[in-house]
Amino acid sequence: MVAFGKKLRESQIQEWQGYYLDYKLMKKKLNRYTQQIEVGTQNRHLVLKDFSILLDSEIEKMVMFLLQQQGVLASKLLNLGEQYDSVLQQVDGAKIPELQEAYRSVGRDLLRILSFVEMNAIGLRKILKKFDKRFGYRFTDYYVKTRANHPYSQLRQVCKQVGVGAVVGAISRNLADLQDFQQHCGNYISIYDQPAFSHPDPVLDSIRAAVNRLSNSTSFLHYLGKHALLMGDDLQSPSGDHADDGRYHFMSLLLNLANTFLYMVNTYIIVPTADNYSMTLGAAATVCGVVIGSMAVAQVFSSVYFSAWSNRSYMRPLVFSSIILLVGNTLYALAYDLNSISVLLIGRLFCGLGSARAVNRRYISDCVPLKLRMQASAGFVSAGALGMACGPALASLLQTNFKIYKLTFNEDTLPGWIMALAWLIYLLWLSISFKEPSRVTTENIVPRESNSGKIVNISVENGPTQPLLSNSKAKQKDGDGDTDCDDAEEDPVEIQKPVNSIVSAYRLLTPSVKVQLYIYFMLKYAMEIVLAESSVITGYYFIWSTSSVAIFLACLGLTVLPVNVVVGSYISNMFEERQVLLASEILVCIGILLSFHVLIPYSVPQYVSSALITFVSAEVLEGVNLSLLSRVMSSRLSRGTYNGGLLSTEAGTLARVIADGTITLAGFWGESKLLNTTLIPALFICVSSIVATCFTYNSLY
């Protein structure tokens, strides 16, 4: 693995070398502190003070140079502005290309500055992370708290690129004006009356991409794409992207997305009728929790073997998945005529064993070119969201009852028969159209440090620092033979290997990652409680029909994409993701509190409004949670069997299993107590996740 110190030296702009953070010096300081603390010759308080002074000095050096360079750019733009006025007054079209190139040259200078800031921001993040690993997890909190929001903070200059926006605006406006003057003789009024991207220029595209890496600026497509947790997007080299082009096959990608859609339909199509089906077979209505949750139980195991299988093939696991789902849905439908709750549960277990989401995600990561990967990732998330809405909506249309020979077709069995037919058609389509991509050996792939590592809008929330810990034995080489590993204190040869054991994956889970996985667990638990018990709760309190329940669930599912559009296009640009994260958790908590049945009669407005608040807040939370998870999780977890996508899937699946089990267990106390009994653990998990978020808040940058 190329150590960050070496990468920093190789990436530096030569004439600016003296103004970068001295990463090597700070690493030497850490090693010296470690040795001094171990032999007892250094006071921990003095270590904290000394290193803080060193960081302050390095940041000040970098910021002063940054301001100087911004001033140089401003001077160039003022001079170009005078030339621009002269060209317009003289109506000299021959000088326009020369002036355009001059503005592009300023844009390229700005790119150099942005690269300078980005490398320093990554270096600062890494040295803080290294200090925390060496001495404890509280130094970053202390440093951020005392520096980020101080009125004289220089750290904020690294985090907030206020001047950059003005420079980009000046370059964009003048290039657009010159282009219009050259092509249309100045027929339009201003770029501010046009869409932001109506005047594309390669230099401006590069600047926007660089600014996005240094800020919260995002778009719906990028926001949604990050939900797929394909964290290796920016780890590949350009040559690797050409290799992807050779493996890419549009129809195969479409089949993967179709698999995702059908599986989500399969998951939620039975929710409106599961309680009625259970009672028809002689079980209690609350057994619907086991019926719905049995699919998730099997998915806990299927996710692992499908993830491992995807290391060798993509088509074979998809074929196997389709066959298993065909059998599972057939058994689910036959349970009615066999009058067997056991067959019903076995059918749902088979459906869970056919969950190939790990293969779908892995195909996008491995076989879709970088230029299309974000769109494919967004398609993966959208397909799942659409399936979630279509499942209950389809169930509402299956209100019929007839027999063919000895087989019954009614609202309970038709979901099984419909999905069995859908998987049969899919299997035929898969056999005809899927193209197995050539396998690429990954043993020699060495991950690079992601350029998306950055510090943005740092704020503080935690208290004073804790005593430094002295039990770290980590030793690292200095000098030109630097071999430090920034993702984990591991051997550099070991860090090249994919994560193919749960122990290796666990070692890469920092407290921030663990908290984000716990938040994902919490939101999936809350959503499953709302969805899975809806038919029982509405039937007991409001005597809703199956159609009413199905329409209600479909409406909840349909909120997924609109909510993500709002968050991805607007909210995430106005607030930090960690701020949205904490606010969403609080709203989920409020939604749960409003759902309790206390004293007053339980009404439809209370149930619908509280369910909507809980569900929509959980959707928003899921988006920012997965986005933050993709940023704080080690880049090693983008590969191997136990990758980040699998870990998040397992966390969410376990949440669904426990939530569905809670519903069934709560049924022993009767349907009258079901609502409050299931909401109590949801409230506890939600409150504990809020507390955990507060403890790791400053590390979410």
Side-chain angles (χ1 to χ4, degrees):
M1 177 181 179
V2 179
F4 176 73
K6 183 177 180 182
K7 179 184 176 182
L8 179 60
R9 290 193 297 273
E10 293 173 347
S11 303
Q12 286 178 353
I13 299 168
Q14 295 304 311
E15 60 267 32
W16 295 355
Q17 276 187 340
Y19 301 101
Y20 284 85
L21 295 176
D22 197 336
Y23 187 77
K24 182 177 178 181
L25 172 64
M26 291 188 286
K27 257 187 57 185
K28 284 183 176 179
K29 282 275 191 179
L30 291 188
N31 290 335
R32 190 174 303 132
Y33 295 150
T34 303
Q35 295 167 4
Q36 291 172 344
I37 290 177
E38 284 177 351
V39 298
T41 60
Q42 181 61 277
N43 181 282
R44 295 184 182 127
H45 178 74
L46 292 179
V47 166
L48 188 68
K49 180 180 179 181
D50 186 52
F51 196 68
S52 298
I53 292 172
L54 176 61
L55 277 178
D56 290 340
S57 175
E58 290 294 312
I59 291 173
E60 181 177 287
K61 172 187 70 176
M62 188 266 288
V63 167
M64 292 301 107
F65 178 73
L66 174 62
L67 293 174
Q68 181 188 63
Q69 292 303 310
Q70 287 178 339
V72 171
L73 284 190
S75 297
K76 288 183 178 180
L77 287 171
L78 282 173
N79 292 332
L80 288 175
E82 294 174 0
Q83 297 178 38
Y84 174 82
D85 292 337
S86 175
V87 167
L88 290 186
Q89 289 172 6
Q90 298 174 12
V91 196
D92 188 356
K95 291 186 178 180
I96 289 180
E98 180 182 341
L99 196 54
Q100 286 176 318
E101 186 55 35
Y103 274 110
R104 292 190 185 102
S105 177
V106 175
R108 287 188 284 270
D109 289 340
L110 177 59
L111 281 172
R112 282 157 52 93
I113 291 177
L114 292 173
S115 173
F116 171 81
V117 175
E118 183 176 19
M119 292 306 296
N120 281 292
I122 294 174
L124 180 59
R125 176 180 65 82
K126 280 189 164 292
I127 204 65
L128 287 171
K129 180 180 176 182
K130 194 172 291 294
F131 194 103
D132 284 350
K133 283 184 177 180
R134 202 69 72 86
F135 304 110
Y137 284 97
R138 297 291 292 179
F139 177 73
T140 298
D141 283 347
Y142 160 75
Y143 192 80
V144 167
K145 180 177 181 179
T146 54
R147 268 68 172 176
N149 287 333
H150 194 277
Y152 307 136
S153 171
Q154 293 173 338
L155 183 61
R156 287 199 291 184
Q157 290 294 326
V158 185
C159 310
K160 298 180 180 180
Q161 300 299 309
V162 179
V164 169
V167 176
V168 174
I171 297 172
S172 301
R173 182 181 66 82
N174 287 291
L175 280 175
D177 286 347
L178 289 169
Q179 181 183 7
D180 177 73
F181 185 82
Q182 188 179 37
Q183 296 178 358
H184 308 293
C185 300
N187 288 332
Y188 83 119
I189 301 174
S190 166
I191 64 164
Y192 301 110
D193 300 312
Q194 308 292 319
F197 298 95
S198 60
H199 298 278
D201 187 281
V203 171
L204 294 178
D205 287 341
S206 299
I207 291 172
R208 288 190 190 102
V211 170
N212 286 346
R213 289 197 300 268
L214 286 169
S215 69
N216 275 339
S217 179
T218 186
S219 67
F220 168 62
L221 182 64
H222 283 72
Y223 173 80
L224 197 63
K226 286 189 286 187
H227 296 14
L229 276 184
L230 303 179
M231 293 164 292
D233 286 5
D234 55 351
L235 304 180
Q236 305 296 328
S237 63
S239 60
D241 192 29
H242 293 311
D244 282 342
D245 284 329
R247 309 176 74 208
Y248 174 61
H249 184 237
F250 173 75
M251 189 57 69
S252 300
L253 173 61
L254 190 61
L255 281 160
N256 270 276
L257 298 180
N259 185 282
T260 300
F261 169 76
L262 287 176
Y263 188 79
M264 292 303 290
V265 172
N266 208 149
T267 301
Y268 289 100
I269 193 173
I270 64 112
V271 172
T273 57
D275 59 332
N276 185 64
Y277 204 171
S278 300
M279 290 189 294
T280 301
L281 299 180
T286 51
V287 173
C288 69
V290 173
V291 174
I292 297 169
S294 56
M295 191 170 178
V297 171
Q299 191 178 348
V300 171
F301 304 99
S302 66
S303 296
V304 178
Y305 67 72
F306 272 115
S307 182
W309 201 348
S310 65
N311 291 325
R312 302 185 300 275
S313 174
Y314 301 104
M315 182 171 181
R316 286 195 292 273
L318 288 177
V319 169
F320 177 77
S321 163
S322 304
I323 294 172
I324 291 296
L325 282 158
L326 172 60
V327 172
N329 282 289
T330 302
L331 290 174
Y332 181 86
L334 288 173
Y336 187 93
D337 293 304
L338 296 175
N339 194 29
S340 172
I341 191 72
S342 299
V343 173
L344 182 75
L345 293 175
I346 291 171
R348 287 294 286 178
L349 283 170
F350 266 71
C351 290
L353 291 173
S355 171
R357 285 174 65 83
V359 181
N360 307 143
R361 182 186 283 110
R362 186 69 173 272
Y363 183 87
I364 296 172
S365 178
D366 290 352
C367 304
V368 177
L370 283 175
K371 60 188 177 184
L372 299 174
R373 197 168 299 164
M374 191 61 70
Q375 292 93 320
S377 302
F380 172 78
V381 177
S382 301
L386 189 60
M388 182 181 180
C390 287
L394 186 58
S396 68
L397 303 176
L398 304 179
Q399 307 302 306
T400 186
N401 193 343
F402 61 93
K403 275 197 170 189
I404 298 178
Y405 297 106
K406 295 183 179 180
L407 298 179
T408 303
F409 296 86
N410 58 22
E411 63 179 16
D412 296 329
T413 63
L414 274 172
W417 291 122
I418 292 292
M419 291 313 304
L421 177 62
W423 287 113
L424 177 60
I425 295 171
Y426 176 81
L427 182 60
L428 295 174
W429 182 21
L430 183 71
S431 304
I432 296 169
S433 303
F434 192 89
K435 178 182 177 183
E436 182 75 74
S438 58
R439 306 304 298 180
V440 175
T441 25
T442 59
E443 286 80 358
N444 297 322
I445 295 177
V446 180
R448 299 186 289 109
E449 169 59 30
S450 168
N451 287 336
S452 62
K454 54 188 178 291
I455 301 177
V456 290
N457 301 341
I458 300 178
S459 63
V460 297
E461 188 146 308
N462 291 341
T465 183
Q466 297 295 320
L468 299 174
L469 303 178
S470 61
N471 59 353
S472 174
K473 303 296 182 182
K475 303 291 184 183
Q476 296 175 327
K477 297 180 183 179
D478 289 306
D480 295 333
D482 195 347
T483 60
D484 94 86
C485 294
D486 297 305
D487 281 330
E489 301 292 339
E490 296 179 297
D491 183 87
V493 175
E494 182 68 21
I495 204 168
Q496 298 179 23
K497 299 178 180 178
V499 181
N500 289 324
S501 75
I502 192 66
V503 175
S504 299
Y506 183 79
R507 289 175 60 194
L508 294 171
L509 301 184
T510 63
S512 299
V513 175
K514 291 175 182 176
V515 169
Q516 293 308 304
L517 288 173
Y518 182 65
I519 292 172
Y520 192 70
F521 174 92
M522 179 275 289
L523 69 92
K524 286 297 183 183
Y525 185 95
M527 292 175 78
E528 189 70 10
I529 288 292
V530 170
L531 296 173
E533 70 178 12
S534 58
S535 57
V536 180
I537 295 299
T538 56
Y540 177 78
Y541 286 105
F542 317 128
I543 320 177
W544 279 10
S545 65
T546 299
S547 297
S548 300
V549 178
I551 292 170
F552 170 68
L553 294 178
C555 290
L556 283 181
L558 287 172
T559 63
V560 173
L561 287 179
V563 167
N564 279 318
V565 169
V566 173
V567 177
S569 300
Y570 301 103
I571 294 178
S572 62
N573 288 325
M574 294 187 288
F575 303 98
E576 295 178 56
E577 286 183 331
R578 58 182 180 172
Q579 293 174 329
V580 181
L581 181 88
L582 188 58
S584 301
E585 289 180 88
I586 293 171
L587 284 174
V588 170
C589 188
I590 292 173
I592 293 172
L593 285 171
L594 292 175
S595 298
F596 278 92
H597 179 204
V598 181
L599 300 178
I600 61 174
Y602 205 57
S603 64
V604 172
Q606 180 185 352
Y607 173 75
V608 172
S609 59
S610 60
L612 191 63
I613 292 172
T614 303
F615 191 81
V616 170
S617 301
E619 287 173 23
V620 176
L621 182 58
E622 181 174 6
V624 293
N625 168 250
L626 291 178
S627 181
L628 282 169
L629 190 58
S630 69
R631 194 165 70 206
V632 300
M633 192 173 276
S634 167
S635 59
R636 280 195 66 197
L637 289 170
S638 64
R639 298 178 294 124
T641 300
Y642 294 91
N643 53 67
L646 175 66
L647 295 178
S648 63
T649 299
E650 292 292 86
T653 304
L654 282 172
R656 291 173 52 208
V657 170
I658 296 173
D660 292 327
T662 303
I663 292 171
T664 298
L665 289 175
F668 287 109
W669 285 278
E671 293 182 16
S672 61
K673 297 181 179 179
L674 175 65
L675 181 65
N676 289 350
T677 305
T678 54
L679 289 176
I680 289 173
L683 181 63
F684 173 78
I685 295 171
C686 186
V687 171
S688 62
S689 76
I690 295 173
V691 173
T693 300
C694 292
F695 274 105
T696 59
Y697 188 79
N698 283 333
S699 63
L700 301 177
Y701 61 85

